[in-house]
């Protein structure tokens, strides 16, 4: 379950197919030994990126892409032989069930989106961190971190809040309060505060050196 939640979050928020590929062990799709083989890992990431292009449909102004669940089984069958993995029954059954449920719901409400229900559940599970799962914590940190700087990104965290607010039809202020009431939210808040204090201290030291011409401290 944790692996599936993390895969949904990585795919829909960050579209990070490399991180999704890394979860194939958790999803019982490939042995970890196979994933540790660098050439195989690169090929898998490329195959997943191609599948994402075909499966994710981005509508103008939408908070999230739609997933073509009707094509999901076919894409999985296309990738599976190249990497010699077998799709477990739960995967095929869930994909077919989601496609059927979405079709039935849209016969009543043409605007229904099952992704809009799955994605908030994935994010709230990551934030709640009820099980203390290292995998859930790493995924939440990944979503909130700028991959180029390796630092927590205020922009990415604001984007998470904006998505949750839009999908849950709550105000951003309410979403902020709810997030800070979760274990994962409080942990991110403390990490952000420490990061800002560290950066502030670094700027202060640099200013003193520049304006008072102090030498850099020697390293013993």
């Amino acid at each position: 379950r944790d692996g599936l939640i993390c895969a949904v979050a990585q795919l829909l928020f960050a579209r990070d197919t490399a991180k999704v590929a890394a979860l194939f062990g958790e999803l019982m799709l490939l042995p970890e030994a196979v994933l540790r083989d660098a050439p195989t890992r690169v090929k898998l990431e490329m195959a997943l990126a191609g599948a994402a292009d075909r499966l994710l449909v981005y509508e103008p102004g939408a908070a999230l892409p739609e997933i073509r669940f009707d094509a999901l089984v076919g894409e999985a069958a296309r990738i599976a032989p190249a990497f010699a993995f077998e799709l477990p029954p739960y995967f095929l059954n869930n994909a077919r069930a989601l496609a059927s449920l979405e079709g039935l719901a849209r016969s009543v409400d043409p605007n229904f989106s099952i992704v809009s229900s799955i994605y908030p559940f994935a994010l709230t599970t990551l934030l709640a961190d009820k099980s203390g799962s290292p995998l859930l914590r790493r995924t939440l940190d990944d979503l909130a971190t700028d991959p180029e700087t390796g630092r927590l990104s205020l922009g990415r965290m604001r984007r998470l809040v904006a998505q949750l607010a839009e999908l849950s039809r709550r105000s951003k202020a309410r979403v902020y309060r709810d997030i800070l009431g979760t274990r994962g939210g409080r942990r991110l808040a403390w990490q952000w505060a420490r990061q800002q204090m560290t950066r502030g201290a670094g700027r202060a030291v640099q200013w003193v050196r520049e304006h008072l011409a102090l030498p850099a401290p020697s390293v013993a």
Side-chain angles (χ1 to χ4, degrees):
R1 175 183 170 181
D2 286 354
L4 188 57
I5 287 169
C6 294
V8 167
Q10 292 284 14
L11 182 62
L12 295 180
F13 179 80
R15 196 172 173 176
D16 193 333
T17 52
K19 292 288 175 61
V20 175
L23 291 165
F24 267 44
E26 287 282 340
L27 295 170
M28 298 183 293
L29 296 174
L30 276 177
E32 293 291 345
V34 175
L35 290 173
R36 286 194 292 269
D37 180 70
T40 300
R41 179 74 166 266
V42 171
K43 290 178 182 178
L44 176 61
E45 291 171 6
M46 293 176 63
L48 291 177
D53 288 338
R54 293 183 289 272
L55 290 173
L56 300 181
V57 180
Y58 291 84
E59 297 292 344
L64 294 170
E66 292 297 324
I67 298 178
R68 296 181 56 213
F69 287 106
D70 58 328
L72 181 58
V73 174
E75 285 295 331
R78 184 203 302 264
I79 294 174
F83 299 96
F85 65 80
E86 294 184 3
L87 297 175
Y90 84 84
F91 184 91
L92 297 174
N93 292 339
N94 287 350
R96 293 191 182 105
L98 288 171
S100 299
L101 288 171
E102 187 164 60
L104 288 171
R106 284 187 172 174
S107 66
V108 178
D109 178 4
N111 295 318
F112 177 80
S113 168
I114 201 164
V115 171
S116 295
S117 299
I118 294 173
Y119 181 68
F121 172 77
L123 288 187
T124 52
T125 301
L126 291 176
L127 287 163
D129 193 20
K130 291 181 179 179
S131 64
S133 164
L135 178 59
L136 295 181
R137 290 187 176 187
R138 285 198 305 272
T139 300
L140 181 59
D141 288 346
D142 283 343
L143 298 186
T145 299
D146 184 333
E148 294 185 1
T149 64
R151 293 177 175 273
L152 288 180
S153 164
L154 187 59
R156 288 171 74 94
M157 290 189 285
R158 283 175 172 167
R159 184 178 157 210
L160 283 170
V161 170
Q163 287 181 336
L164 282 174
E166 180 175 345
L167 294 171
S168 65
R169 299 180 182 178
R170 292 176 292 168
S171 68
K172 290 182 182 179
R174 172 65 184 277
V175 171
Y176 274 117
R177 288 196 301 270
D178 291 346
I179 287 176
L180 290 174
T182 66
R183 179 186 294 179
R186 289 192 297 271
R187 184 172 57 81
L188 283 181
W190 278 112
Q191 287 178 350
W192 171 256
R194 285 197 297 269
Q195 177 177 291
Q196 294 305 104
M197 286 189 290
T198 300
R199 294 180 67 183
R203 292 193 190 101
V205 170
Q206 185 63 30
W207 185 92
V208 169
R209 288 178 186 165
E210 290 175 355
H211 289 77
L212 300 181
L214 294 179
S218 61
V219 178

